Amino acid sequence: MSGAEGNTGPRGTLKPEASTATMASGSGKAPAMDTDSVKRGIEWLDKMMSGLQQKNVDAKKAFDSDTAELAVVDGDIAASQAKLDAVRTNLSAKKAQLARVNAAIGEKSTDVASLLANAQALLKNAKKMSRMHQRDAASDGLEIARGYSSKIDTKTLIRTGPMGTSSRPGTMGGE
């Protein structure tokens, strides 16, 4: 262990030696130091200054490196922000388009529902008309084949007979 290392305290500071730290009793002057201890003190201060300067250089290098890295990160953020803004703009345009399409679908759904209701009503009416025409055609066929009309009420048929002739005297057609 060298003399300079033995003179350092727990935090790396120079420990005052008993002979140099205390004043001569009552004289008011610092005691004289030997040249070796002064050399050791100067060497220790030089080492300490060299270490602090190296720490300062290392800190500046780290700061410069971090500043350069921050510049790169800021550039990446700016590029990402531009892309994000474009995506947000595109998203809002897509949402507006979706709203327009949904509104159009709603209108068309209403139109289709209305058309479907109309078509169902027309189909029902067409079926009714078809049944009426089929019944009329069947009645006409029965009238031609059997001689009486199904359009005439059965009670009237019984009273009057086929084709409006009366089977009893005093009724329609037979007098």
Side-chain angles (χ1 to χ4, degrees):
M1 189 167 170
S2 70
E5 292 172 354
N7 289 337
T8 58
R11 290 182 293 198
T13 58
L14 186 61
K15 286 197 291 184
E17 293 185 18
S19 62
T20 61
T22 57
M23 303 277 266
S25 57
S27 70
K29 294 182 183 176
M33 297 179 90
D34 67 11
T35 56
D36 286 340
S37 75
V38 170
K39 277 185 183 179
R40 283 193 309 269
I42 291 172
E43 287 174 2
W44 180 80
L45 283 174
D46 286 344
K47 286 181 183 178
M48 186 174 75
M49 284 303 294
S50 175
L52 289 175
Q53 288 172 347
Q54 186 60 44
K55 283 183 182 180
N56 190 16
V57 167
D58 292 345
K60 283 182 181 180
K61 284 181 183 177
F63 181 79
D64 292 342
S65 172
D66 291 346
T67 302
E69 189 174 337
L70 282 175
V72 170
V73 169
D74 286 342
D76 291 346
I77 288 173
S80 296
Q81 188 64 38
K83 290 177 185 176
L84 182 62
D85 291 342
V87 168
R88 285 182 180 156
T89 302
N90 191 19
L91 178 64
S92 63
K94 295 289 183 182
K95 284 183 178 180
Q97 182 181 9
L98 178 64
R100 288 191 305 271
V101 167
N102 282 338
I105 288 173
E107 291 173 12
K108 297 303 176 188
S109 295
T110 303
D111 292 348
V112 167
S114 174
L115 287 173
L116 181 61
N118 288 341
Q120 287 174 338
L122 289 172
L123 180 62
K124 183 178 179 181
N125 192 22
K127 284 181 178 181
K128 181 179 177 183
M129 293 299 291
S130 175
R131 282 192 306 268
M132 286 175 51
H133 288 300
Q134 286 174 352
R135 185 174 58 230
D136 287 345
S139 292
D140 291 343
L142 282 175
E143 188 175 342
I144 292 170
R146 293 189 180 165
Y148 64 89
S149 175
S150 63
K151 295 178 185 173
I152 300 173
D153 186 25
T154 306
K155 290 181 184 179
T156 307
L157 276 176
I158 292 172
R159 269 187 274 141
T160 60
M163 298 301 287
T165 61
S166 176
S167 56
R168 292 184 275 158
T171 58
M172 282 180 30
E175 297 186 312

